């Protein structure tokens, strides 16, 4: 991030702008939304600018920008649309101590002006560092559509009510109140009775919340899916949005954690296949401790919480302590990997059943029903299997599997950096070593990527 977004207090501050054409007009329309004292320097100002001067909205000086014109100014815009003149103005204004902007000149500017969605006092600023103005316009249009025009009004009325809401204790209770106001009581009252109705609704709502029973702590064990945030369920999104505490595994993608409510406490319990981790008892204790304070806890697990997620131990800990819980399923890595390969997990005539296996368990490399797995057409998703590739290869071959049996490793399934490592039992350990994976890897035994699968019978014929 080269440009850091901030909101600058312009009340009563000087802002100077040089230029009187289209570029100047576009910027002035934005700056006129603020409470700044605006001075425009232009030989030949557009009629809109002279009209704004006549209305007392800005001061107009009909000459070129000169040294000292930006003294005490917070911001200076060079908007004459003449490169040499704009550069001259920017140098002078900078010498006067103002932050300078040359319109449409990223490198010549000390700050840039974002696209704005204005629901004053709610302001959304959108910047793309000059890289993608089309994208900024699209985001602006989407936000304009998503944020009702009344939002600003609701926020203004809400602001005047802030001190009354101090009757509620800080933290969740206050948040719940504002949530109910902005997303339910406020818009409803506005639609029914207009502005006066909103004030009454705020009063009623506050009394409801002051007299309400204490909310009980709760733990939602939520599947975060394989990594792509768009593969989260709507329920997972909603719970993340409302969570007081999020306890997550290392594998949960940062883009997903970004969706947690900004005030939420994020706790990384770092569980991963072979690496260091918080002890299971400590995770249980952590959930219980937070839920007891009345917190809404999200225990966020990669994929589906019920697949190699030690879910039952966590539920036991909650039950033993009388804490309420719910489970929100997620898309497991096997689903994402199969989709990445263009394959289905079950297929008529190939496999009517499939297995979830783990490459290692508490005792080390995991033993399975190898004999059945070696039968033709079997499909298994092997979690935490990359390090056990040699062991799996050995066991499978020992029990009579064909060395040609396809095995495809998928790293970072569903993420932008997903990789498919195509292999067979014969070369699996070497292929995985050579790939030098760093992300989570799942082995899809019996599945090749879709195109390779089509080529396979032919290949076998050639080999025969
Ligand atoms: N509950 C998770 C699995 C946890 S065990 C689920 O349902 O997916 C952790 C293992 O899951 C990793 O070692 C890896 O084998 C697999 N895994 C998780 N996310 C993955 C991803 N995006 N791509 C490939 N494998 C993944």
């Amino acid at each position: 991030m080269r440009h850091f977004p901030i909101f600058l207090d312009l009340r009563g501050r000087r802002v100077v702008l040089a230029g009187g054409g289209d570029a100047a007009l576009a910027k002035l329309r934005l700056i006129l939304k603020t409470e700044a004292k605006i001075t425009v320097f232009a030989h030949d100002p557009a009629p809109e600018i002279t009209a704004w001067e006549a209305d007392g909205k800005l001061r107009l000086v009909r000459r070129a920008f000169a040294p000292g014109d930006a003294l005490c100014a917070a911001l200076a815009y060079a908007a004459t649309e003449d490169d040499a003149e704009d550069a001259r103005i920017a140098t002078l204004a900078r010498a006067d101590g103002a932050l300078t902007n040359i319109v449409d000149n990223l490198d010549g500017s000390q700050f840039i002006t974002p696209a704005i969605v204005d629901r004053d006092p709610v302001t959304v600023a959108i910047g793309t560092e000059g890289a993608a103005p089309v994208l900024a316009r699209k985001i602006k249009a989407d936000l304009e559509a998503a944020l009702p025009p009344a939002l600003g009004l609701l926020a203004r009325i809400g602001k005047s009510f802030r001190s009354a809401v101090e009757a509620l204790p800080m933290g969740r209770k206050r948040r719940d109140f504002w949530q109910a106001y902005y997303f339910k009581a406020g818009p409803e009252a506005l639609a029914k009775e207009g502005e006066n109705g909103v004030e009454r609704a705020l009063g009623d709502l506050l009394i409801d919340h002051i007299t309400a029973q204490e909310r009980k702590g709760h733990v939602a064990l939520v599947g975060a899916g394989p990594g792509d945030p768009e593969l989260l369920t709507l329920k997972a999104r909603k719970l993340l949005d409302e969570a007081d505490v999020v306890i997550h595994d290392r594998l949960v993608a940062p883009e997903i954690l970004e969706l947690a409510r900004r005030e939420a406490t994020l706790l990384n319990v770092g569980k991963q296949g072979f690496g260091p981790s918080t002890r299971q008892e400590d995770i249980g204790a952590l959930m219980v401790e937070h839920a007891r304070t009345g917190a809404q806890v999200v225990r966020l697990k990669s994929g589906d919480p019920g697949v190699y997620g030690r879910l039952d131990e966590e539920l036991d800990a909650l039950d033993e302590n009388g804490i309420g819980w719910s489970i929100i399923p997620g898309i497991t890595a096997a689903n994402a990997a199969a989709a990445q390969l263009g394959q289905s997990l079950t297929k008529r005539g190939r496999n009517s059943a499939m297995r979830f296996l783990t490459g290692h368990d508490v005792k080390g490399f995991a033993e399975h029903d190898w004999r059945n797995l070696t039968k033709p057409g079997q499909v298994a998703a092997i979690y935490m299997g990359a390090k056990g590739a040699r062991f799996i290869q050995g066991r499978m071959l020992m029990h009579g599997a064909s060395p040609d049996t396809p095995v495809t490793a998928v790293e970072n399934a569903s993420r932008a950096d997903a990789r498919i490592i195509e292999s067979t039992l014969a070369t699996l350990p070497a292929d995985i070593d050579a790939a030098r994976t760093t992300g989570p890897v799942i082995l899809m035994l019996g599945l090749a990527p879709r195109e390779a699968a089509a080529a396979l019978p032919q290949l076998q014929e050639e080999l025969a």
Side-chain angles (χ1 to χ4, degrees):
M1 194 189 293
R2 178 171 155 198
H3 294 89
F4 181 63
I6 55 168
F7 289 89
L8 188 66
D9 184 359
L10 285 182
R11 179 189 293 177
R13 300 290 306 275
R14 270 192 97 209
V15 172
V16 298
L17 181 142
D22 288 345
L25 280 177
K27 286 290 176 275
L28 283 171
R29 284 198 185 94
L30 287 177
I31 309 165
L32 280 166
K33 289 172 179 287
T34 72
E35 296 168 43
K37 289 186 181 141
I38 306 168
T39 306
V40 176
F41 296 86
H43 270 304
D44 189 14
E48 287 92 333
I49 299 181
T50 46
W52 284 326
E53 184 203 24
D55 286 348
K57 291 188 172 153
L58 50 77
R59 201 165 75 85
L60 179 59
V61 183
R62 291 172 190 262
R63 62 163 168 80
F65 193 87
D69 279 342
L71 279 174
C72 300
L75 303 177
Y77 283 91
T80 64
E81 299 168 67
D82 169 328
D83 289 349
E85 174 63 356
D86 278 348
R88 184 189 71 86
I89 293 163
T91 309
L92 290 179
R94 221 172 290 164
D96 286 344
L99 270 179
T100 59
N101 170 276
I102 300 178
V103 174
D104 289 336
N105 179 344
L106 190 71
D107 289 323
S109 296
Q110 291 175 299
F111 72 94
I112 51 178
T113 316
I116 290 171
V117 179
D118 177 11
R119 299 286 185 274
D120 188 43
V122 178
T123 310
V124 185
I126 305 154
T128 62
E129 311 225 328
V134 177
L135 195 61
R137 272 201 292 280
K138 164 83 173 95
I139 296 170
K140 177 170 155 64
D142 287 352
L143 285 172
E144 292 281 2
L147 300 178
L151 194 73
L153 179 62
L154 287 178
R156 268 196 301 281
I157 300 174
K159 201 170 168 183
S160 67
F161 212 76
R162 286 201 89 85
S163 55
V165 180
E166 281 169 17
L168 287 170
M170 275 245 278
R172 206 183 55 254
K173 282 211 146 200
R174 265 190 223 175
R175 266 190 332 258
D176 289 348
F177 169 82
W178 288 116
Q179 176 110 357
Y181 166 64
Y182 280 113
F183 300 104
K184 198 162 184 319
E188 280 173 10
L190 192 64
K192 252 194 251 153
E193 302 162 70
E195 207 169 322
N196 294 336
V198 175
E199 283 177 27
R200 203 179 40 245
L202 260 171
D204 292 349
L205 190 68
L206 185 57
I207 291 172
D208 285 354
H209 278 245
I210 289 172
T211 53
Q213 296 278 336
E214 181 63 55
R215 188 155 68 138
K216 275 202 166 152
H218 178 92
V219 178
L221 299 116
V222 177
D228 177 352
E230 291 194 73
L231 292 180
L232 277 175
T233 60
L234 292 176
K235 275 198 176 159
R237 270 237 46 181
K238 186 163 156 266
L239 285 163
L240 278 173
D241 207 42
E242 293 167 357
D244 298 307
V245 179
V246 178
I247 303 176
H248 65 91
D249 292 348
R250 187 195 59 100
L251 264 187
V252 174
E255 299 88 313
I256 289 176
L257 296 174
E258 288 270 323
L259 298 172
R261 202 163 54 80
R262 203 169 55 139
E263 297 80 10
T265 309
L266 295 186
L267 301 171
N268 179 356
V269 287
K271 256 159 57 101
Q272 67 184 99
F274 287 81
S277 58
T278 307
R279 288 185 316 157
Q280 193 62 45
E281 306 92 85
D282 296 341
I283 297 176
L286 208 56
M287 293 190 301
V288 169
E289 175 195 322
H290 284 285
R292 278 217 176 112
T293 68
Q296 303 303 300
V297 179
V298 166
R299 170 72 178 107
L300 195 61
K301 290 165 170 289
S302 78
D304 179 79
V307 178
Y308 303 119
R310 304 188 69 174
L311 178 67
D312 305 81
E313 287 153 81
E314 297 186 4
L315 295 181
D316 287 346
L318 296 172
D319 281 340
E320 275 160 27
N321 290 280
I323 308 255
W325 51 261
S326 55
I327 300 174
I328 313 300
I331 293 180
T332 188
N335 289 128
Q340 201 94 49
L341 300 183
Q343 290 287 10
S344 58
L345 290 176
T346 61
K347 183 178 176 185
R348 193 183 278 224
R350 183 191 63 202
N351 65 312
S352 58
M354 76 151 284
R355 292 183 179 82
F356 291 105
L357 306 179
T358 168
H360 83 112
D361 58 21
V362 276
K363 293 187 226 87
F365 294 129
E367 290 295 354
H368 299 288
D369 174 10
W370 302 107
R371 191 163 300 286
N372 270 318
L373 272 172
T374 59
K375 290 184 182 154
Q378 295 297 303
V379 173
I382 309 179
Y383 290 71
M384 297 171 278
K387 287 208 169 68
R390 186 167 298 283
F391 173 79
I392 292 162
Q393 176 200 46
R395 284 292 194 276
M396 288 289 289
L397 294 179
M398 197 168 90
H399 286 86
S402 158
D404 294 336
T405 306
V407 186
T408 310
V410 183
E411 182 189 18
N412 292 322
S414 88
R415 305 183 190 198
D417 51 359
R419 267 206 304 168
I420 292 175
I421 303 146
E422 215 184 316
S423 184
T424 61
L425 270 185
T427 56
L428 182 67
D431 290 345
I432 289 194
D433 275 354
R436 299 192 178 284
T437 57
T438 51
V441 174
I442 189 163
L443 303 180
M444 302 302 280
L445 180 77
L447 290 184
R450 187 176 167 83
E451 270 174 48
L456 212 64
Q458 199 188 340
L459 196 76
Q460 276 164 353
E461 270 166 37
E462 278 169 22
L463 287 174

